[in-house]
């Protein structure tokens, strides 16, 4: 059931999306990010020459996934940073009814390089990850999430 | 086309030519296209023919996040990607000679159309305020069917802050198009060795394509102030509307409806019927009929650029997949779409423009 690479792209008129999988939530978040980068460029051509640290928090798990992806969208759009490999430093999932803005948090280091239009293929320019129909589910022990991007 | 492609940065990961101090960034967000003109990029008549004079009041740069500033910094003066474009076109058909005359359009005239917006700056403003609005939904007790929807009462501090930030993004977009128009004029000057004035490169109209505005409308016979958000729609105000520049007050607001890169784009005029039936709005484009994947599959093994070149359309694009995604077959035929709004009376056809050269991101 797990796709090679841990994600598949969704075919939606007008927008772009991915379905990500993971045996753990950590893996799901990493695969969602890898899937998103595959919409932006050919990730096979990205080297690991720069490492950045990314920390996000939210009051819900879905919110955390959107914040995580939007933080990476920001790093790409503002600085051209394109991620390739991920190492999660901490992943805290809180009580979803707590309504505490910091209940869910993720911090990770991401290795990749700065996008160079001369060497890297430009695919889609992602504006943002959205909440549209977003649901993180555990089906028979596999975490899945469908994320639609604004492009 | 080569010069235009080089002089107007486009595509994924492209960077703009403008570097601004923090003070100038603030000025740009407050003054929009006027900032560009004051800095030598364009002329006063450009502003007269831009919606809201290219500068909407009520923008507050202090409400913009550090992230939005950072994201917008390298992108001012860039075209972007996806359906954004810069096209050299020509007037191929006139439907209303008198109206065309008022707009300065005539048969076989060469025109340029620029379709872009507030770039990553506007997207970051949206991302930032979605978080604010999401909290507001709970605070004010709204029940919404999709988490992608968010709202706050118009008089709330959240809505006030958002509008002031959105207005800054609108000004960013007007400045962006003004800069790109200026470089387009320069590119023509470089290649043809003639000034933009002698080439008659005056602006016909510049209109926003995703903006919420407070406007006067008549609802059930009563004059009311409404917030009209046009997204996937464009403004189409009728003759006599006080928002129109003097040059167009007797004919109505010019409406620009871009089609796909192989077929055509249209110039229309706003009507009284649009005011009565669609809050002074009409359609913004053709709309897709194929998903991006479908389009890429259909384009497999074909050279879209050569197919267009065979029809006399030169296209330059940084993205390999962009041309497949944006090919004509992926969109509804713009002529059919425009005929619908024309027959519905919410805008009337003035001229059809055919593409000659296309820059796609």
């Amino acid at each position: 059931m797990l796709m090679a690479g841990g994600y598949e792209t969704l075919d939606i008129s007008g927008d772009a999306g991915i379905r990500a999988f993971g045996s753990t939530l950590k893996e799901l978040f990493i695969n969602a990010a890898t899937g998103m980068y595959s919409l932006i460029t050919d990730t096979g051509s990205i080297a690991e020459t720069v490492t950045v640290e990314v920390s996000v928090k939210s009051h819900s798990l879905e919110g955390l996934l959107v914040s995580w992806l939007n933080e990476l969208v920001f790093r790409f759009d503002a600085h051209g940073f394109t991620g390739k490999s991920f190492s999660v430093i901490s992943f805290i999932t809180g009580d979803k009814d707590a309504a505490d803005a910091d209940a869910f948090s993720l911090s990770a280091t991401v290795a990749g390089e700065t996008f160079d239009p001369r060497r890297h293929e430009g695919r889609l320019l992602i504006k943002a990850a959205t909440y549209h129909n977003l649901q993180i589910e555990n089906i028979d022990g596999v975490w899945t999430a469908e994320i639609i991007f604004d492009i | 086309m080569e010069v235009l492609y080089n002089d107007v940065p486009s595509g994924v990961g492209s960077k703009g030519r403008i570097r601004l101090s923090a003070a100038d960034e603030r000025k740009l967000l407050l003054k929009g296209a006027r900032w560009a003109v004051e800095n030598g990029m364009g002329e006063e008549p450009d502003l007269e023919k831009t919606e809201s004079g290219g500068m909407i009041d009520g923008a507050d740069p202090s409400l913009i996040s550090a992230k939005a500033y950072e994201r917008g910094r390298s992108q001012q003066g860039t075209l972007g990607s996806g359906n954004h474009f810069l096209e050299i076109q020509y007037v191929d058909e006139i439907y209303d000679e008198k109206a065309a005359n008022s707009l300065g359009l005539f048969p076989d005239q060469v025109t340029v159309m620029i379709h872009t917006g507030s770039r990553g700056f506007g997207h970051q403003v949206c991302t930032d305020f979605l978080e604010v609005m999401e909290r507001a939904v709970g605070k004010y007790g709204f029940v919404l069917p999709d988490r992608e929807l968010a709202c706050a009462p118009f008089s709330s501090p959240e809505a006030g802050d958002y509008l002031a930030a959105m207005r800054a993004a609108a000004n960013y977009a007007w400045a962006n198009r003004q800069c790109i128009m200026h470089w387009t004029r320069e590119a023509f000057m470089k290649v043809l060795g003639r000034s933009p004035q002698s080439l008659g490169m005056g602006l016909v109209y510049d209109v926003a394509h995703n903006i919420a505005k407070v406007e006067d409308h008549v609802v059930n016979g009563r004059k009311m102030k409404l917030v009209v958000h046009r997204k996937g729609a464009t403004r189409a105000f009728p003759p006599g509307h006080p928002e129109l520049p003097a040059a167009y007050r007797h004919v109505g607001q010019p409406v620009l409806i871009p089609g796909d890169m192989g077929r055509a784009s249209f110039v229309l005029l706003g009507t009284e019927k649009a005011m009565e039936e669609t809050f002074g709005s009409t359609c913004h484009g053709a709309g897709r009929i194929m998903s991006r994947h479908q389009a890429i599959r259909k384009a497999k093994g074909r050279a879209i650029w050569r197919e267009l070149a065979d029809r006399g359309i030169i296209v330059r694009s940084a993205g390999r997949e962009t041309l497949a995604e944006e090919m004509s077959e992926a969109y509804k035929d713009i002529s059919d779409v425009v005929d619908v709004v024309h027959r519905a009376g919410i805008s009337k056809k003035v001229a059809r423009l055919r593409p000659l050269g296309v820059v796609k991101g």
Side-chain angles (χ1 to χ4, degrees):
Chain A
M1 143 121 221
L2 265 177
M3 303 295 297
Y7 65 87
E8 57 191 15
T9 51
L10 301 172
D11 196 16
I12 328 148
S13 182
D15 283 307
I18 54 161
R19 184 180 295 120
F21 309 92
S23 52
T24 61
L25 279 171
K26 262 189 221 178
E27 212 176 284
L28 175 78
F29 274 57
I30 290 171
N31 288 337
T34 308
M36 184 183 77
Y37 282 124
S38 78
L39 297 176
I40 297 173
T41 189
D42 173 10
T43 47
S45 69
I46 299 296
E48 294 176 34
T49 52
V50 189
T51 302
V52 299
E53 201 166 306
V54 176
S55 295
V56 288
K57 52 190 186 211
S58 179
H59 57 88
S60 70
L61 189 59
E62 280 82 7
L64 190 68
L65 181 58
V66 168
S67 296
W68 159 245
L69 296 174
N70 276 336
E71 180 63 31
L72 298 176
V73 165
F74 165 73
R75 302 278 177 123
F76 176 80
D77 215 26
H79 311 129
F81 176 78
T82 318
K84 169 114 169 174
S85 71
F86 305 83
S87 159
V88 174
I89 301 164
S90 78
F91 195 113
I92 299 160
T93 54
D95 177 359
K96 97 173 167 190
D97 299 319
D100 174 357
D102 304 343
F104 294 76
S105 68
L106 166 65
S107 89
T109 55
V110 188
E113 73 171 313
T114 307
F115 184 87
D116 178 354
R118 286 165 303 182
R119 292 188 294 119
H120 301 127
E121 184 193 345
R123 289 182 180 163
L124 293 175
L125 197 62
I126 292 178
K127 297 174 181 174
T130 75
Y131 280 106
H132 189 69
N133 290 336
L134 175 62
Q135 234 174 345
I136 299 176
E137 289 175 308
N138 191 308
I139 303 165
D140 301 329
V142 178
W143 288 99
T144 64
E146 273 185 27
I147 306 116
I148 310 295
F149 297 98
D150 242 352
I151 54 167
Chain B
M1 286 313 299
E2 216 53 39
V3 176
L4 274 175
Y5 184 68
N6 285 325
D7 288 5
V8 179
S10 65
V12 174
S14 58
K15 286 190 169 61
R17 297 157 51 178
I18 296 174
R19 296 289 172 270
L20 298 177
S21 67
D24 279 333
E25 274 176 348
R26 281 178 57 92
K27 269 188 216 151
L28 182 150
L29 297 182
L30 288 170
K31 297 176 104 174
R34 180 161 290 284
W35 170 87
V37 169
E38 283 174 2
N39 284 276
M41 289 179 280
E43 309 287 336
E44 194 65 30
D46 297 341
L47 300 176
E48 284 161 28
K49 291 182 173 171
T50 300
E51 175 183 347
S52 299
M55 168 187 161
I56 191 165
D57 287 335
D60 186 348
S62 73
L63 294 165
I64 301 299
S65 71
K67 272 187 176 172
Y69 273 112
E70 221 174 309
R71 206 166 154 182
R73 202 160 287 150
S74 62
Q75 295 185 10
Q76 182 58 242
T78 63
L79 194 60
S81 185
N83 68 4
H84 287 173
F85 66 78
L86 189 162
E87 278 186 11
I88 302 179
Q89 312 166 323
Y90 71 100
V91 179
D92 138 84
E93 187 149 359
I94 298 275
Y95 303 96
D96 181 337
E97 211 173 313
K98 220 177 115 192
N101 210 24
S102 305
L103 269 50
L105 297 173
F106 53 84
D108 295 328
Q109 179 184 24
V110 173
T111 59
V112 174
M113 189 177 278
I114 296 162
H115 180 216
T116 184
S118 59
R119 309 285 292 101
F121 180 85
H123 309 146
Q124 193 62 42
V125 168
C126 175
T127 297
D128 294 341
F129 274 92
L130 266 172
E131 269 175 49
V132 175
M133 289 293 169
E134 209 198 343
R135 286 195 295 273
V137 168
K139 178 174 160 190
Y140 297 105
F142 292 107
V143 180
L144 298 168
D146 187 335
R147 267 195 84 177
E148 184 59 11
L149 299 173
C151 64
F154 183 73
S155 55
S156 67
E158 290 90 345
D161 285 357
Y162 171 65
L163 273 173
M166 182 213 69
R167 286 167 180 152
N171 286 338
Y172 182 102
W174 272 310
N176 192 25
R177 287 192 294 272
Q178 181 69 37
C179 292
I180 291 176
M181 175 167 69
H182 175 69
W183 295 329
T184 302
R185 285 169 172 158
E186 281 191 343
F188 272 77
M189 189 161 66
K190 264 196 246 177
V191 174
L192 301 175
R194 286 177 60 188
S195 72
Q197 287 79 11
S198 77
L199 289 168
M201 292 183 79
L203 176 64
V204 175
Y205 204 62
D206 179 315
V207 67
H209 66 272
N210 182 2
I211 191 169
K213 289 182 122 179
V214 179
E215 294 173 358
D216 293 319
H217 288 274
V218 177
V219 181
N220 298 328
R222 213 155 52 89
K223 200 172 156 184
M224 292 177 80
K225 272 213 182 313
L226 303 178
V227 185
V228 182
H229 180 194
R230 298 184 182 89
K231 158 123 178 114
T234 200
R235 205 178 71 168
F237 279 174
H241 196 285
E243 281 264 328
L244 297 190
Y248 297 143
R249 196 151 301 158
H250 63 296
V251 282
Q253 181 212 304
V255 172
L256 312 172
I257 304 185
D260 64 77
M261 62 186 176
R263 289 194 183 110
S265 293
F266 285 82
V267 180
L268 299 88
L269 283 172
T271 62
E272 200 52 57
K273 196 148 180 218
M275 225 46 200
E276 290 160 13
E277 296 194 351
T278 53
F279 301 102
S281 316
T282 190
C283 75
H284 162 55
R288 296 188 77 90
I289 39 172
M290 260 183 227
S291 71
R292 288 180 164 81
H293 287 243
Q294 274 175 312
I296 290 168
R297 266 198 302 276
K298 274 214 98 173
K300 230 185 171 84
R302 289 162 58 184
I304 300 299
W305 67 269
R306 188 172 302 139
E307 288 177 24
L308 287 164
D310 287 344
R311 295 171 45 217
I313 303 165
I314 300 160
V315 51
R316 288 298 318 256
S317 172
R320 219 170 13 152
E321 286 179 355
T322 307
L323 288 188
E325 290 159 11
E326 293 292 311
M327 66 179 178
S328 291
E329 296 139 85
Y331 283 91
K332 289 177 207 159
D333 189 334
I334 187 67
S335 299
D336 297 340
V337 176
V338 162
D339 278 344
V340 170
V341 297
H342 179 81
R343 281 201 301 270
I346 57 172
S347 40
K348 59 174 193 176
K349 289 201 284 189
V350 176
R352 182 171 67 196
L353 313 168
R354 292 276 191 198
L356 291 166
V358 182
V359 176
K360 274 273 184 194

